[in-house]
Every structure is written in C-alpha cells, then in structure tokens.
Amino acid sequence: MAIKIAHENIQPGFILMNSGQLLNASRNRSPTAYLFNPPEERAQYEHDTDKEMIVLKFLDAKGQPLGMVNWFAVHCTSMNNTNKYISSDNKGLASLYFEETMNGPSPTYGQGPFVAAFAQSNEGDVSPNTKGAHCINNGLACEANHSTCNGKNEMCIAFGPGKDMYESTEIIAQRQFDKAKELYEAASVYLEGPVDFRHSYVDMTKQQVDIGGKTFNTCKPAMGYSFAAGTTDGPGAFDFTQGETKGNPFWSAISHLLKNPSAEQVACQHPKPILLDTGEVSLHIPVKDDFVQQRRFFCFASDSTLWLSEKKKTLLVE
C-alpha cells in the first residue's frame, strides 16, 4: 500500500543532503571485542562506533517540504526483550516526532503529507543503552569480556539513558530527531544527475581471507554458543556466555540431534564451538543462507562544499 501511494504521488522535486555527528545516542556494547581489531585500523576512526548521521531532504518543484530520510547506526533495542508489546522503538518514535513537527498534531500518525524515515545504518554492536551493562542484582558493572555477573549472563543487562526502557526510548528518539531536524534545516548540497545502483550476491562460504601473511577460507554458517548468549541489550537463557570457546557436553548432545557437524566444519569454525550447524543441516527449507546480498545506490551531488570533496562527490547508500 505504501508503494502504491508513493507511486500515485510521483512529482518533480529536489533532494538536498547534509551530514553531522550525533555523539550522545549510542555506544559500543562490545568494547573489549572491538579492541581486538588491529591498532592501525582503529587509528583510522575517532570513535569505536559510527557516529555520523546522513540526511536527505526532499522538496517539491516549488521548494515545499515533502519528506526526509536519514541514516544513523543504533540498534532499536531501547525496549529490551522484557517488552511484550509491538514497538517501533527509538527510530519509530523519532519518525513520529519529526512528522508531527512538519504535519502538526494528528490522531492518525503516518497519514500526513510529510514523511520522515529514520533508516538503519551499520549498527553492528551499536547499542542505544548509553549507561552500559550492569548487574541487575547489585548495580555493579558486568564482567567486561563475557558480559556476565558471577558467571551468569542473564543478570547482565544494559540500560540508559533514562530511568527505565520507556524513558530511554523517548530520550534516544528525541536525540535522533533533534539532530535530524538540525541537519534537515541546514541542508544545502543538491543532489543532481543520474541515480545508479549495483546488486550482487556473495557466496560467503567460499571466500579467502588473508590474516598475518596466511590465507584462510570461510565455510558454511553455524551458530555458536555465544549466539545463544544474546547481547547485553537482551541476554539469552540457560547460562550461555558471550565469547565462549569450550562448549558444553549436554548442549552438544542436544544440538547434534539436529545435525552432527562434519570434521571439516568443526575445524573451520574453530575456536567457536558449534551449537547449531545450520549450514550443513537439510530440512528441505533454507535454515541459513550461504549468500549475502549487496545493494548499492549512487546519487551524484554538486561540488559546492568540502564535505563533497571528502566523499568524492558521491552519496553511497548500501
């Protein structure tokens, strides 16, 4: 329906672009893991997560506002896994804030002429819970490397910046909205010329990786024990822990009822112990895809600012 409405309302217009840093709406939820990246790689970046927000401003042929799309990296996990309701989380609320500002208060959200989209970016280990992970039994910081409290991962949960997950959702949404509105109002770089794209499929089971002068090959996918541990934004159950490399005889016996991993798969996944061998199991339906889709869209901008020269005059959206 949304595509149909958009198609029926096609009209000429302009697109402007802007970008800036939003520093108080995210943090790395696995900072000790990030430190395993080579120093020369980490030295290329100011922060351990991407803090850049990119905004596109859409105007009609008369210069009147039509919509806004922005990209910023942060998980929609302000509402953690204790929430039992359907929620669009911080990004959905930020969108409502923006649209209400442009369309005016309305009992029917999402029905106004101006559309604001808060899109996801390279969110990886980027958490909105800016106070970090603490033990819910005593308030102390969790053990850093495995995100546990006295060896239990269920007790280690990230919070903030509010007093509860509802207030935290509102705060992170407000911060994204404020930055997006600031960038939207100041946008001055016009996108012009053609729009181009690239779409490819990459077989992630047959890639060569060079590390330390040695060549390694990727293999079929498998879910490890750390997967079952979840994250500090929403820990798992049954005392799985992040960074686990030893496995457990009980859970190995249970998982092998689904599929006993081949020796080749075990060797390739080492040192990660395999909990679910999703890449080798056959249930007549795909359990885990071997291929990753890559989509890239290119828009070309006028060369009026330093920002464009740094970005090589091209906006690249993946």
Side-chain angles (χ1 to χ4, degrees), residues 18 28 39 54 78 98 105 111 123 138 148 187 209 224 244 263 280 305:
N18 200 2
N28 193 316
I54 296 176
S78 292
F98 207 120
Q111 300 301 310
E123 80 273 30
N138 57 25
T148 57
V209 182
E244 192 165 342
E280 293 186 321
T305 69

Side-chain angles (χ1 to χ4, degrees), residues 84-147:
K84 304 301 181 184
Y85 296 98
I86 295 174
S87 170
S88 58
D89 214 275
N90 54 67
K91 286 189 176 290
L93 185 56
S95 177
L96 292 181
Y97 287 161
F98 207 120
E99 291 185 2
E100 187 175 58
T101 298
M102 302 301 290
N103 294 324
S106 171
T108 54
Y109 289 111
Q111 300 301 310
F114 187 92
V115 177
F118 282 73
Q120 193 56 272
S121 183
N122 49 321
E123 80 273 30
D125 263 324
V126 187
S127 170
N129 298 303
T130 54
K131 289 182 180 178
H134 292 79
C135 299
I136 59 176
N137 59 331
N138 57 25
L140 298 177
C142 303
E143 188 276 327
N145 291 327
H146 301 285
S147 301

Side-chain angles (χ1 to χ4, degrees), residues 35-65:
L35 294 177
F36 281 98
N37 288 304
E40 60 273 17
E41 180 178 329
R42 288 186 278 117
Q44 299 178 48
Y45 307 102
E46 183 180 0
H47 306 284
D48 61 1
T49 64
D50 190 349
K51 302 292 186 180
E52 184 178 46
M53 177 182 284
I54 296 176
V55 168
L56 296 185
K57 178 178 182 177
F58 297 88
L59 304 174
D60 66 17
K62 297 180 179 180
Q64 296 302 304

Side-chain angles (χ1 to χ4, degrees), residues 291-318:
F291 291 83
V292 171
Q293 293 189 54
Q294 291 187 337
R295 292 174 293 270
R296 296 185 178 187
F297 298 87
F298 302 85
C299 299
F300 298 90
S302 59
D303 52 354
S304 58
T305 69
L306 175 63
W307 189 90
L308 285 169
S309 65
E310 293 173 345
K311 296 292 183 180
K312 300 181 180 178
K313 302 182 183 180
T314 304
L315 172 68
L316 169 61
V317 179
E318 296 191 60

Side-chain angles (χ1 to χ4, degrees), residues 123-303:
E123 80 273 30
D125 263 324
V126 187
S127 170
N129 298 303
T130 54
K131 289 182 180 178
H134 292 79
C135 299
I136 59 176
N137 59 331
N138 57 25
L140 298 177
C142 303
E143 188 276 327
N145 291 327
H146 301 285
S147 301
T148 57
C149 301
N150 294 323
K152 307 291 185 181
N153 82 300
E154 295 95 333
M155 306 295 287
C156 177
I157 301 178
F159 295 99
K163 66 179 183 294
D164 56 34
M165 63 181 177
Y166 305 103
E167 185 178 69
S168 293
T169 301
E170 293 175 351
I171 294 172
I172 297 299
Q174 185 70 47
R175 290 174 179 175
Q176 289 183 81
F177 160 68
D178 289 341
K179 190 63 181 183
K181 190 66 161 57
E182 172 195 327
L183 295 172
Y184 176 88
E185 292 176 346
S188 59
V189 178
Y190 282 85
L191 296 183
E192 57 187 20
V195 176
D196 203 354
F197 73 94
R198 301 290 185 272
H199 188 186
S200 63
Y201 292 88
V202 179
D203 187 349
M204 296 303 296
T205 70
K206 299 177 180 179
Q207 300 301 308
Q208 287 190 340
V209 182
D210 295 323
I211 302 176
K214 297 182 179 180
T215 300
F216 299 88
N217 294 303
T218 59
C219 43
K220 289 184 176 295
M223 294 181 177
Y225 281 65
S226 293
F227 159 80
T231 72
T232 54
D233 287 340
F238 306 115
D239 283 335
F240 292 102
T241 59
Q242 297 185 45
E244 192 165 342
T245 59
K246 294 182 179 180
N248 178 288
F250 173 77
W251 288 112
S252 292
I254 297 297
S255 67
H256 289 181
L257 293 177
L258 176 65
K259 174 68 174 68
N260 190 18
S262 66
E264 180 184 9
Q265 178 78 321
V266 171
C268 187
Q269 295 288 340
H270 180 79
K272 179 181 79 178
I274 297 173
L275 179 64
L276 295 174
D277 187 17
T278 53
E280 293 186 321
V281 68
S282 177
L283 297 176
H284 304 293
I285 57 173
V287 179
K288 201 72 171 179
D289 201 342
D290 292 346
F291 291 83
V292 171
Q293 293 189 54
Q294 291 187 337
R295 292 174 293 270
R296 296 185 178 187
F297 298 87
F298 302 85
C299 299
F300 298 90
S302 59
D303 52 354

